Amino acid sequence: MDPTVRPTAESPAPSTMTPAAKPTASAMEPVAEAPDRRLLRRQMLADDVYEAIKTMLMDHAIRPGARISIDGLARDFQVSSTPVREALARLESEGLADKEPLKGYRATPLLSLEEFDDLYRFRLLLEPWAARRAAELIDDTGRERLTAELATAVEPTSVDYAGYKSLTAHDNRFHTLITGLSGSEQVRLAFQRTHCHLHIFRLHYDRDTGPEVLVEHREVVEAILSGDPAAAEAAMTKHLGNSMSVRLRKVYEQ
């Protein structure tokens, strides 16, 4: 029989127990949030605050001309003042808020009749020409972009900003796209700087506006896609004329 090897003090028996794993630095210390994730969270918060204040301005919850309290909004939204200030700076660039030295921000007044007429005179100079040029220059890419934008249009669900926000966004993209398809970057930029759709929809909106606007948009697109410059110019002139004289001027006559 083979001799049995017995463990001695000098040669301890091998243990069958697995040694406990030592905690690593990552297990002992909290994992820091990645910088890009922190930036994304901050941007999401800033965007949410911006949309909330914009809605208040569009719905006149903050009345035109009223002072805007940064501290008050921060308390209402349970955020610091930083995203509120960032939102107001964006809204100032869109002409929905004014910053007064040593006083803070105010909501901009609604367009006066003179400002309204001046805005539409500008649009009538710019946009029918842009529609004509778009019809002259239209190619397959332009056709795809116009068709895709028209497909995003949805009729409003209510008369508050939440209900017609998607129509406002479509209207802005639609007219900006046509000025871009004119081939003139200066015309596109000049139109974009007016932020006219925010001011027009802030001025007045009712449920009947949506279907009328979308019908007229389709007429403009059909003329451009067919490559008919005269028809495109006429369709845009009609669209702007209806917006100015039929849908909005009655606001000043009340």
Side-chain angles (χ1 to χ4, degrees), residues 6-239:
R6 298 180 181 275
T8 63
E10 288 79 12
S11 59
S15 172
T16 58
M17 297 179 62
T18 302
K22 293 183 179 180
T24 63
S26 61
M28 296 172 65
E29 301 172 359
V31 178
E33 190 174 16
D36 57 343
R37 182 171 295 181
R38 290 199 302 270
L39 182 61
L40 177 61
R41 287 169 61 86
R42 178 181 173 186
Q43 185 59 51
M44 289 174 63
L45 175 63
D47 288 344
D48 288 343
V49 171
Y50 161 78
E51 285 294 341
I53 300 175
K54 185 176 182 178
T55 298
M56 296 172 75
L57 290 165
M58 295 295 289
D59 286 341
H60 301 184
I62 300 176
R63 297 190 63 78
R67 192 175 75 84
I68 302 173
S69 170
I70 292 175
D71 292 339
L73 289 173
R75 284 194 300 271
D76 290 344
F77 299 147
Q78 297 183 350
V79 298
S80 71
S81 63
T82 299
V84 176
R85 292 180 186 278
E86 291 174 351
L88 289 173
R90 290 173 65 182
L91 293 163
E92 183 184 17
S93 73
E94 295 174 346
L96 292 176
D98 283 332
K99 188 175 184 181
E100 300 176 317
L102 306 177
K103 292 183 179 180
Y105 286 93
R106 284 189 179 275
T108 54
L110 297 178
L111 293 176
S112 67
L113 178 57
E114 182 179 357
E115 291 169 332
F116 172 81
D117 284 342
D118 192 39
L119 175 62
Y120 269 91
R121 281 193 293 267
F122 174 77
R123 295 188 68 183
L124 284 165
L125 285 172
L126 214 66
E127 295 186 69
W129 176 88
R132 169 181 278 276
R133 286 290 292 159
E136 292 171 350
L137 300 173
I138 196 68
D139 56 16
D140 289 343
T141 300
R143 289 187 179 91
E144 289 175 5
R145 292 175 67 192
L146 270 177
T147 303
E149 180 52 50
L150 199 59
T152 69
V154 293
E155 292 187 9
T157 56
S158 64
V159 296
D160 58 5
Y161 182 59
Y164 65 78
K165 180 167 67 172
S166 61
L167 177 63
T168 307
H170 158 69
D171 203 35
N172 181 52
R173 291 192 306 265
F174 177 79
H175 286 269
T176 302
L177 174 57
I178 291 174
T179 57
L181 292 175
S182 74
S184 172
E185 181 65 5
Q186 290 303 314
V187 166
R188 187 189 69 82
L189 289 174
F191 172 79
Q192 195 171 36
R193 291 189 190 105
T194 67
H195 299 288
C196 59
H197 296 84
L198 289 177
H199 298 290
I200 289 166
F201 280 90
R202 185 182 177 218
L203 184 66
H204 173 74
Y205 180 77
D206 62 48
R207 289 289 292 273
D208 293 335
T209 298
E212 293 172 0
V213 167
L214 298 182
V215 166
E216 291 166 11
H217 280 191
R218 283 191 285 272
E219 291 173 352
V220 172
V221 169
E222 288 169 4
I224 294 175
L225 295 185
S226 67
D228 188 335
E233 182 177 11
M236 182 63 80
T237 301
K238 172 189 170 184
H239 174 49

